[in-house]
Amino acid sequence: ITLAGITTDIIAGFPGETAEEFNNTLEFVRRHNFSRIHVFPYSDRPAVKASLMKGKTAEEIKKERVRLLIEEGKKKEAEFASRNNGIERKVLAEGRGKSGLYEGYTDNYIKVTFDGDGSVKGRLVPVVITGTDSSVARGEIIKESGRGRV
C-alpha cells in the first residue's frame, strides 16, 4: 500500500492579505489531506517587489495566523501518520533522538521513532508503523522472519 504524502508551504500575512483570504486558506487546509504543512510569516526582503506593496499585515496578526496554520498542520500530520498504522515503510535511520530511540523519515515523509541498535544508523530499514504520538509515528523494525531488531 502506498499513501502519498502531499505537503505545502504557506506564507501567512502577505501584504494585502485580508481576514477573509486568510480564512479561505485555513478552510482549504482543513478540507484537504496534506501530510505536512510548512508555515512561515511574510517578511520583507530587500529588492523584492512585495516589500514595496501596501497593506502590510500587523505582526501580531501574522503571528496569530501562523499559529492557527501550524496548529492545523500538526493535526494533518497526525492524521496522515495514523492512516499509515500497520503499514510497512522504508525509514532512513538518521540517529537517536532525545528519547533514546532512533528517528527517521519514511519514504512518504512521516517522522518515525523506533528501537534499534547502532547498525541501523544511516541505513534504510523496514519499519511497520504501530501508532502515533502527536505528529510523530512509532514503529518497529521488521526482520525477515517477523518483527524485532534487524
Side-chain angles (χ1 to χ4, degrees):
I1 291 177
T2 300
L3 297 174
I6 307 297
T7 67
T8 188
D9 291 357
I10 300 174
I11 300 171
F14 195 82
E17 179 184 80
T18 66
E20 181 181 6
E21 289 169 331
F22 171 75
N23 288 329
N24 288 341
T25 299
L26 188 57
E27 283 307 311
F28 180 85
V29 167
R30 288 177 175 151
R31 285 192 318 267
H32 293 84
N33 290 324
F34 292 108
S35 58
R36 183 169 289 214
I37 300 170
H38 178 232
V39 181
F40 51 97
Y42 170 81
S43 60
D44 283 332
R45 298 285 191 263
V48 174
K49 288 184 181 184
S51 67
L52 303 174
M53 293 175 70
K54 294 182 174 142
K56 300 287 187 324
T57 304
E59 288 300 315
E60 62 273 5
I61 293 172
K62 279 195 279 189
K63 285 180 184 178
E64 178 62 6
R65 290 176 182 178
V66 165
R67 186 192 68 74
L68 290 169
L69 286 165
I70 288 173
E71 182 178 289
E72 195 61 36
K74 286 181 180 181
K75 290 178 194 174
K76 294 294 182 178
E77 274 188 72
E79 289 168 8
F80 183 69
S82 69
R83 286 196 308 272
N84 282 262
N85 283 346
I87 298 174
E88 180 181 332
R89 310 260 20 141
K90 296 287 187 195
V91 177
L92 177 59
E94 296 177 355
R96 292 192 189 274
K98 292 178 185 176
S99 68
L101 297 173
Y102 272 91
E103 296 179 344
Y105 286 88
T106 64
D107 52 357
N108 62 347
Y109 208 57
I110 298 169
K111 186 173 185 177
V112 181
T113 60
F114 54 94
D115 193 21
D117 62 29
S119 69
V120 300
K121 186 175 181 181
R123 290 182 38 217
L124 275 175
V125 292
V127 172
V128 66
I129 307 293
T130 59
T132 58
D133 292 321
S134 182
S135 60
V136 177
R138 294 182 312 277
E140 289 182 27
I141 294 176
I142 300 171
K143 291 194 301 185
E144 288 186 33
S145 61
R147 291 184 184 175
R149 290 186 175 195
V150 171

